[in-house]
Amino acid sequence: DAKTTQPNSMESNEEEPVHLPCNHSTISGTDYIHWYRQLPSQGPEYVIHGLTSNVNNRMASLAIAEDRKSSTLILHRATLRDAAVYYCILRDRGYGQNFVFGPGTRLSVLP
Amino acid sequence: GAVVSQHPSRVICKSGTSVKIECRSLDFQATTMFWYRQFPKQSLMLMATSNEGSKATYEQGVEKDKFLINHASLTLSTLTVTSAHPEDSSFYICSARISSESYNEQFFGPGTRLTVL
């Protein structure tokens, strides 16, 4: 599995935008970029995923670099409920692949 | 998105007993389910991949005789921790996969916290 690199932790103020970076320099052409988040004592929650183009949904936006070697998850207005560990994961679209979780980024949101 | 449930959400047991954890896909059929384990302050670690009607595939270092997985139907997989010991105390999370022609999506359960006394 191609590897991702994320900062261990980040801090944000409430109601401000948050940009969570992820580097994946060894990404292959068929790897999707996924973001999940995990709140304390809960299972991972799907946030967003993309392949080449930027993506938007009600939770967040995903900005993918043109060379696909990095991406950024954007939370437009952080709330206290967004405090979680955010995981950037690559997964090939092939059927046999599962998710391999790295350490993720622990996001703290300050009131 | 699709819903995956786990039961129980938390369990406390005595050392030496066995504990069964259920994972259900509530509104879809999952040919493949995954079991993860997460120790405090650590990331999720895949334990095994479970395919309906066949034997589970275990990751290296996971004892298949200790962690029994049964995937008897397209909506239910069970993980049984046999002869549990305190070092088995962990957060166990299951995940179920939906397959389509274009993409595979995977949804996670809420987790089961196991404490072995």
Side-chain angles (χ1 to χ4, degrees), chain A residues 1-6 22-28 31-33 68-71 88-92 97 100-104:
Chain A
D1 296 305
K3 201 172 176 180
T4 63
T5 305
Q6 299 177 250
C22 181
N23 288 319
H24 29 78
S25 59
T26 59
I27 190 171
S28 74
D31 281 335
Y32 280 82
I33 302 161
R68 301 212 321 129
K69 293 187 176 181
S70 65
S71 61
C88 168
I89 306 167
L90 301 184
R91 198 185 73 173
D92 191 275
Q97 297 293 316
V100 177
F101 286 81

Side-chain angles (χ1 to χ4, degrees), chain A residues 32 34 36 38 41-46 49 87 91-104 106, chain B residues 31-32 34 36 38 41-44 46 49 51 91 93 97 99 101-106 108-111 113:
Chain A
Y32 280 82
H34 297 255
Y36 278 76
Q38 187 178 23
S41 297
Q42 295 187 29
E45 175 188 23
Y46 169 81
H49 79 279
Y87 298 100
R91 198 185 73 173
D92 191 275
R93 61 178 292 164
Y95 181 80
Q97 297 293 316
N98 62 69
F99 286 105
V100 177
F101 286 81
R106 183 173 297 275
Chain B
T31 53
T32 304
F34 305 90
Y36 294 82
Q38 185 176 33
K41 303 293 185 185
Q42 294 187 24
S43 190
L44 283 76
L46 180 67
T49 300
N51 290 298
F91 194 48
I93 302 168
R97 170 185 282 161
S99 295
E101 285 185 358
S102 60
Y103 186 66
N104 304 304
E105 291 199 55
Q106 197 162 322
F108 290 84
R113 185 161 303 283

Side-chain angles (χ1 to χ4, degrees), chain B residues 9-23:
Chain B
S9 58
R10 58 177 61 234
V11 56
I12 300 172
C13 70
K14 292 182 179 178
S15 188
T17 60
S18 294
V19 174
K20 181 187 281 189
I21 302 170
E22 291 186 350
C23 175

Side-chain angles (χ1 to χ4, degrees), chain A residues 8-84:
Chain A
N8 289 333
S9 62
M10 289 185 66
E11 234 175 47
S12 170
N13 293 317
E14 198 176 6
E15 298 195 1
E16 289 188 357
V18 182
H19 291 233
L20 297 166
C22 181
N23 288 319
H24 29 78
S25 59
T26 59
I27 190 171
S28 74
T30 52
D31 281 335
Y32 280 82
I33 302 161
H34 297 255
W35 283 83
Y36 278 76
R37 72 180 186 181
Q38 187 178 23
L39 279 65
S41 297
Q42 295 187 29
E45 175 188 23
Y46 169 81
V47 178
I48 202 166
H49 79 279
L51 185 62
T52 56
S53 305
N54 294 344
V55 185
N56 298 298
N57 66 21
R58 63 176 180 80
M59 288 182 71
S61 296
L62 176 60
I64 301 173
E66 203 169 321
D67 62 5
R68 301 212 321 129
K69 293 187 176 181
S70 65
S71 61
T72 303
L73 178 70
I74 302 166
L75 306 179
H76 296 286
R77 284 183 67 201
T79 69
L80 297 178
R81 289 177 296 178
D82 291 323

Side-chain angles (χ1 to χ4, degrees), chain B residues 15-66:
Chain B
S15 188
T17 60
S18 294
V19 174
K20 181 187 281 189
I21 302 170
E22 291 186 350
C23 175
R24 293 181 186 272
S25 55
L26 296 186
D27 48 3
F28 66 99
Q29 292 185 330
T31 53
T32 304
M33 289 185 173
F34 305 90
W35 286 95
Y36 294 82
R37 181 168 53 180
Q38 185 176 33
F39 292 108
K41 303 293 185 185
Q42 294 187 24
S43 190
L44 283 76
M45 296 297 294
L46 180 67
M47 297 176 67
T49 300
S50 164
N51 290 298
E52 186 264 338
S54 63
K55 289 184 179 180
T57 303
Y58 290 81
E59 296 299 299
Q60 193 172 8
V62 178
E63 300 174 56
K64 62 180 181 181
D65 294 330
K66 181 168 183 64

